Amino acid sequence: MILTVTLNTALDITYRVRSLRPHASHRVSEVTERPGGKGVNVARVLAALGHEVTVTGFTGGATGRVVQERLASVPGVVDALVPISGATRRTIAVVDDRTGDTTQLNEPGPTVTPAEWSAFQEAYEDLLPSASAVALCGSLPPGVPVGAYAGLVRTARAAGVPVLLDTSGEPLRRGVAARPDIIKPNADELAELTGSHEPLRATQDARRRGAAAVVASLGPEGLLAATREGRWRATPPTSVRGNPTGAGDSVVAGLLSGLVEHLSWPDRLIRATAISAATVLAPVAGAFDRTTYEELLERVTVTGEASAA
């Protein structure tokens, strides 16, 4: 079982409009709702790849009930969300059919009490013995300590479970110091962490700060990885346009599935890049078409080299 943690779960709502214009009324042509938050998106992709996944984090209020109802219909995903008194947030993605661009609106999330945070930590520790890997994903809701991910990384490491961290800002800075097995920042998050806007130098610096492996998402330029085993760059065959919501989460799913399947780093990066590109091309946020993904697998290129023994 792979465990994904989403402390700030969401109900993802996608609106499609003919053309998005500021200061104007719009007729929505299509509305889609699905369980969201980064770790939930990761879990959905992992399940589509054939892995058993358990989702934990927080859920509350009427929106939280909708999230859990929708999550129950996702094959291969087990709901282990922890109830809280606050209401789960919503995220709104508005897709412009004319340009293919997406405008994202993210609510902050409910305030978590100290007792609720303690209850989650107990649930997390109980789930770890059954986990082959864990992903810690997304923003922290109000009330959760800024060093929360650092503590969760240490708990996973103490249990002998590989852990991937995908967050940003101060939670990422503190989390890296706890020595996660993998971090997956995007270019902006990596620059904020290291102070360097040169991706290769920044990935190496992030490793020196504590991460065993750093995989940076560089948007249409693909992925850049710095690991103990070597350094590689994976590039999609063409620049893809569409809805990028969930593309980074698909990268996490590709990396985690490759980890538990004991794939080489180049093969993990090929998978992660292909799934990410297929997610951008999908009409619904956080989904991917299997046929498109398999076609892209054959066309992703990887360059780089393994470290000397």
Side-chain angles (χ1 to χ4, degrees), residues 9-242:
T9 52
L11 179 65
D12 286 344
I13 303 169
T14 301
Y15 294 142
R16 300 193 73 92
V17 299
R18 182 175 180 181
S19 177
L20 183 61
R21 304 180 310 280
H23 317 298
S25 296
H26 297 79
R27 186 176 298 277
V28 176
S29 61
E30 181 182 344
V31 181
T32 305
E33 292 185 352
R34 58 194 301 152
K38 294 180 73 63
V40 175
N41 293 336
V42 171
R44 187 185 297 111
V45 176
L46 284 168
L49 291 171
H51 290 274
E52 295 181 358
V53 193
T54 296
V55 171
T56 191
F58 295 114
T59 183
T63 304
R65 288 192 292 274
V66 174
V67 167
Q68 291 187 284
E69 289 169 2
R70 300 293 175 88
L71 203 56
S73 66
V74 181
V77 175
V78 174
D79 175 2
L81 293 168
V82 176
I84 59 173
S85 58
T88 296
R89 67 188 177 127
R90 296 160 298 178
T91 69
I92 310 296
V94 183
V95 181
D96 184 321
D97 284 336
R98 179 177 56 84
T99 64
D101 292 333
T102 301
T103 299
Q104 191 79 19
L105 304 173
N106 297 328
E107 295 179 358
T111 298
V112 177
T113 68
E116 290 166 344
W117 174 236
S118 295
F120 169 79
Q121 289 175 287
E122 291 178 8
Y124 176 71
E125 291 180 13
D126 289 343
L127 289 165
L128 281 175
S130 301
S132 56
V134 58
L136 307 173
C137 303
S139 61
L140 299 179
V144 172
V146 71
Y149 281 135
L152 298 180
V153 169
R154 293 188 189 100
T155 301
R157 286 179 54 81
V161 181
V163 56
L164 184 153
L165 176 61
D166 182 16
T167 188
S168 60
E170 189 63 20
L172 174 59
R173 189 180 307 279
R174 297 196 187 195
V176 167
R179 307 185 70 81
D181 295 88
I182 306 171
I183 63 170
K184 192 221 65 69
N186 62 31
D188 291 339
E189 293 162 350
L190 185 61
E192 182 182 9
L193 173 66
T194 64
S196 174
H197 291 272
E198 200 291 304
L200 181 58
R201 178 180 300 172
T203 54
Q204 293 169 329
D205 182 65
R207 281 203 64 216
R208 286 192 291 269
R209 291 169 184 258
V214 179
V215 180
S217 294
L218 304 179
E221 297 179 16
L223 302 176
L224 179 64
T227 78
R228 292 191 184 104
E229 290 82 3
R231 295 178 298 188
W232 293 275
R233 188 172 207 134
T235 308
T238 58
S239 178
V240 295
R241 291 183 62 86

